Amino acid sequence: MTADDLSFATEHLDGEFELPELAESTFPDVYVGLEVDLLAPGDGVVTDRHHASAGRYEADDPQNQIGGQISPFALSGWLRHGCERVLQIAGMSACHPGESNADYMRADVYDRDLDAGYHEKGSCVEGGAGESGCVVYELFGGFGAKPGVLLRRPVRFSPVRRQVDVLRGEVEAHYRQLHTQVRSRNGDDGGQPLRHATRDVVGNVDGTWLLSLRELKPEFVGLLVEAVSFLDAHSDQFEFQLGGARNFGAGIADVEVVNPLYSDREIRRVYNRAQDSTAAMREKDEKWRDVYRAEFVRALQDRVSDVDGELRPAVDRSGVSGGGS
């Protein structure tokens, strides 16, 4: 099925929903705006060079203009965690991301997770693989050949702004390999280094992460916008920070769903520091915020209400402006 063949499926939901025309929106693509001062995703950085040039830093030195990719694995787990929390806030359990027989590092972790708002992976599918399961199961996939309907791409980054195309899910960012000497605290050692530690980091991340839906159900969009809103509102909490090195302030991400009603030119305008939003963009912001966003969340409420009661109102309405979620 191509993007031209897609349309929002609402037959499985009660009631009618006022949804935007696909031709007048970015769907089936969803752009998540990322602004992160420091990101340390561990092994999740792939660069076109091994490290910056040694010696004095020169901005025009090609070795100091390192580009690359940020793996979607860390991003995906972070987004999924937000989706799980939205469902749990609604009083619904979420599909566990791991297998019950996996080799976990802590005893009884799976059982404790089940008590904390999860159900066993795939147990929400009744009657075989033909059934849909819970919203998280559908979005992120399940066992074996059951892929998720949410396609999560790598994020390409470059320190050169003119080489960044936000319509392709790219960000402006600066890669560095940090070097630290772990030194002895024993006075007899005179501060001798014990070991050398390195960490790959990406700083000043600014751009978009491109997601695509292989199937269009309004509750999928509702869950994504609520999850992104939740992650933005709780960005400084340890468990909702992005990537590793959280004790050092890395992974505090300001995130938003870029207004899906924007045209390609308007999305680029959001990330052009020399341009402000237009009157047309502000009208679309109002329509998205007051009409369509509420309809997508209402579809999510309808999807979960038959099981666990109504979903609470939007997680974070404060500070929502512009193209935000």
Side-chain angles (χ1 to χ4, degrees):
M1 179 180 289
T2 66
D4 294 336
D5 298 325
L6 289 174
S7 61
F8 280 110
T10 60
E11 299 83 3
H12 60 293
L13 301 173
D14 295 330
E16 297 181 355
F17 300 88
E18 184 178 354
L19 305 176
E21 295 292 333
L22 294 189
E24 299 175 357
S25 70
T26 65
F27 298 121
D29 293 334
V30 177
Y31 291 92
V32 177
L34 297 172
E35 186 174 339
V36 192
D37 291 337
L38 183 64
L39 182 60
D43 294 330
V45 180
V46 179
T47 67
D48 54 19
R49 290 182 177 87
H50 292 295
H51 52 77
S53 58
R56 190 179 64 180
Y57 176 86
E58 297 178 3
D60 295 333
D61 185 343
Q63 284 281 74
N64 287 317
Q65 296 182 359
I66 298 174
Q69 292 183 346
I70 301 170
S71 166
F73 288 103
L75 295 167
S76 178
W78 165 75
L79 178 63
R80 177 174 179 140
H81 196 185
C83 291
E84 292 165 354
R85 287 299 295 128
V86 169
L87 293 184
Q88 289 162 353
I89 288 171
M92 184 178 183
S93 64
C95 216
H96 198 285
E99 312 289 351
S100 59
N101 59 351
D103 185 15
Y104 296 101
M105 296 179 66
R106 292 178 62 88
D108 302 324
V109 64
Y110 201 86
D111 291 336
R112 287 187 286 113
D113 283 347
L114 298 184
D115 294 335
Y118 291 89
H119 55 260
E120 286 195 27
K121 182 178 182 179
S123 65
C124 51
V125 179
E126 298 178 358
E131 300 296 328
S132 58
C134 70
V135 189
V136 166
Y137 183 91
E138 282 195 82
L139 275 179
F140 293 91
F143 295 105
K146 171 61 178 175
V149 302
L150 182 64
L151 177 62
R152 293 139 278 168
R153 295 175 173 84
V155 174
R156 181 183 177 275
F157 68 87
S158 171
V160 183
R161 174 165 284 267
R162 66 178 177 273
Q163 295 180 5
V164 173
D165 185 357
V166 293
L167 292 179
R168 297 178 61 187
E170 299 179 356
V171 300
E172 179 184 6
H174 302 267
Y175 167 82
R176 287 293 180 270
Q177 188 174 70
L178 304 183
H179 301 266
T180 304
Q181 293 290 348
V182 180
R183 298 184 180 276
S184 172
R185 264 58 172 176
N186 192 310
D188 294 337
D189 293 336
Q192 290 282 342
L194 299 177
R195 61 184 175 89
H196 177 236
T198 62
R199 182 180 291 274
D200 293 342
V201 300
V202 184
N204 302 320
V205 176
D206 186 19
T208 64
W209 181 26
L210 177 56
L211 307 174
S212 296
L213 290 164
R214 294 187 176 99
E215 299 176 22
L216 280 177
K217 294 182 180 180
E219 65 267 30
F220 293 163
V221 179
L223 182 56
L224 289 176
V225 297
E226 288 289 81
V228 170
S229 179
F230 178 89
L231 291 168
D232 185 64
H234 298 82
S235 62
D236 60 346
Q237 295 182 15
F238 182 86
E239 62 268 37
F240 299 112
Q241 289 172 236
L242 174 58
R246 300 176 186 181
N247 287 329
F248 300 92
I252 299 176
D254 294 326
V255 291
E256 62 181 11
V257 171
V258 179
N259 191 334
L261 304 182
Y262 284 169
S263 66
D264 289 354
R265 177 178 295 181
E266 289 168 337
I267 293 174
R268 286 198 170 101
R269 192 180 183 98
V270 170
Y271 294 93
N272 188 331
R273 295 168 182 169
Q275 295 179 312
D276 294 326
S277 60
T278 64
M281 291 171 69
R282 290 190 289 271
E283 289 179 3
K284 290 180 180 180
D285 290 340
E286 182 177 352
K287 193 163 188 178
W288 166 248
R289 182 176 59 247
D290 298 337
V291 181
Y292 292 134
R293 187 192 194 282
E295 288 292 274
F296 285 120
V297 174
R298 188 166 69 89
L300 177 60
Q301 292 172 333
D302 183 274
R303 171 72 182 265
V304 302
S305 63
D306 291 341
V307 180
D308 294 291
E310 293 186 0
L311 187 69
R312 295 181 184 180
V315 173
D316 178 36
R317 290 291 188 182
S318 62
V320 176
S321 60
S325 60

